[in-house]
Amino acid sequence: EVAADRVVLATGGKSIPKMGATGYALDVARGFGLALVEPRAGLVPFTLAPDLLERLSPLAGVSAPARVRAGGAAFDESLLFTHRGLSGPAVLQASSYWREGEAVAVDLAPGVDLLAHLKTERGRAGRQSPAAFLSERLPARLARTLAEGAAAPPRLGDCNDAVLSRLAASVNAWTFRPAGTEGYRTAEVMLGGVDTRELDSRTFETRKVPGLHIIGEAVDVTGWLGGYNFQWAWASGWAAGQAV
């Protein structure tokens, strides 16, 4: 046993257990009767249903700029196809806003009205293949997969408006429902944790247990990619340290 006037709980969250992460902080908080916000994996890759994964797994390693929307938030960064599903900064960011069962929308040509461009190109260069047209904007393997998925004829000139609409939608408005995420195994952060209402916002001392401070990832505060979560850990630790 160790007796102390004050204790700072700085044991992090559950993300990336192979580095030693556990739910210890949550267990301690529960033991003191503190309210928790349901923890879940954040900044984490999506996994895909078997049928969709079978179609997209040949694209593993392909990356492309994209706008990914989930839970009312949208992020314009790169998207990466993997052997398990989708990753990349845009996907990781969106995952923190996604809830199980919800759809995710992907635009692989943000700001581009692809249907209008396809119709123009059909009249100007009808002998060009749909895949070749798309490869001017997307990686070649991805362009071929999208053209095949839209059941597009070999030449743009042979594509009617319905085919062009399908092709444009597969780029500008691809919607899918993730099977889930890769979980804490690869998550960069844990969402949820000790409810912030349990803490003094200046010292991070718990209101119910004087002398107990809780900081960092154990608290229900989560930032975007880019060092924000590191900064939160350091800043909350500094604030608690000043109070101690």
Side-chain angles (χ1 to χ4, degrees):
E1 293 184 359
V2 177
D5 292 329
R6 293 183 180 273
V7 172
V8 180
L9 189 59
T11 57
K14 300 169 70 174
S15 59
I16 315 184
K18 68 180 180 181
M19 294 177 63
T22 70
Y24 177 75
L26 305 180
D27 294 337
V28 172
R30 289 191 190 96
F32 281 111
L34 302 180
L36 300 179
V37 175
E38 179 186 4
R40 57 194 176 91
L43 297 179
V44 62
F46 287 131
T47 57
L48 301 177
D51 55 341
L52 183 56
L53 182 61
E54 182 179 4
R55 182 163 66 89
L56 297 181
S57 58
L59 296 174
V62 172
S63 177
R67 176 175 297 152
V68 180
R69 296 180 181 273
F75 297 93
D76 286 33
E77 296 186 69
S78 63
L79 173 150
L80 174 68
F81 292 89
T82 74
H83 290 292
R84 295 185 180 89
L86 296 176
S87 188
V91 169
L92 297 185
Q93 298 273 50
S95 73
S96 293
Y97 294 82
W98 176 78
R99 290 287 186 170
E100 188 173 355
E102 294 179 347
V104 174
V106 177
D107 185 350
L108 293 165
V112 177
D113 184 348
L114 198 68
L115 181 57
H117 285 282
L118 281 166
K119 289 181 176 180
T120 298
E121 198 70 4
R122 178 177 60 183
R124 191 187 70 83
R127 298 172 66 89
Q128 184 181 26
S129 71
F133 170 80
L134 292 181
S135 66
E136 296 174 2
R137 296 165 173 78
L138 302 170
R141 273 197 288 164
L142 177 56
R144 289 195 300 270
T145 298
L146 294 177
E148 292 168 1
R155 302 189 309 174
L156 278 176
D158 298 327
C159 295
N160 58 31
D161 286 353
V163 172
L164 294 187
S165 293
R166 285 201 306 271
L167 193 57
S170 70
V171 176
N172 286 140
W174 174 35
T175 302
F176 69 97
R177 293 185 187 277
T181 72
E182 292 191 8
Y184 291 120
R185 184 181 66 83
T186 58
E188 297 202 16
V189 295
M190 178 188 75
L191 302 171
V194 176
D195 194 319
T196 56
R197 291 172 292 187
E198 294 280 12
L199 307 174
D200 182 307
S201 62
R202 297 163 300 175
T203 65
F204 299 96
E205 184 176 16
T206 59
R207 302 183 190 281
K208 293 178 181 175
V209 189
L212 175 63
H213 302 250
I214 304 179
I215 66 166
E217 195 175 354
V219 181
D220 179 33
V221 175
T222 304
W224 290 354
L225 289 174
Y228 296 102
N229 293 290
F230 285 122
Q231 178 60 27
W232 160 246
W234 298 326
S236 60
W238 183 89
Q242 295 301 302
V244 171

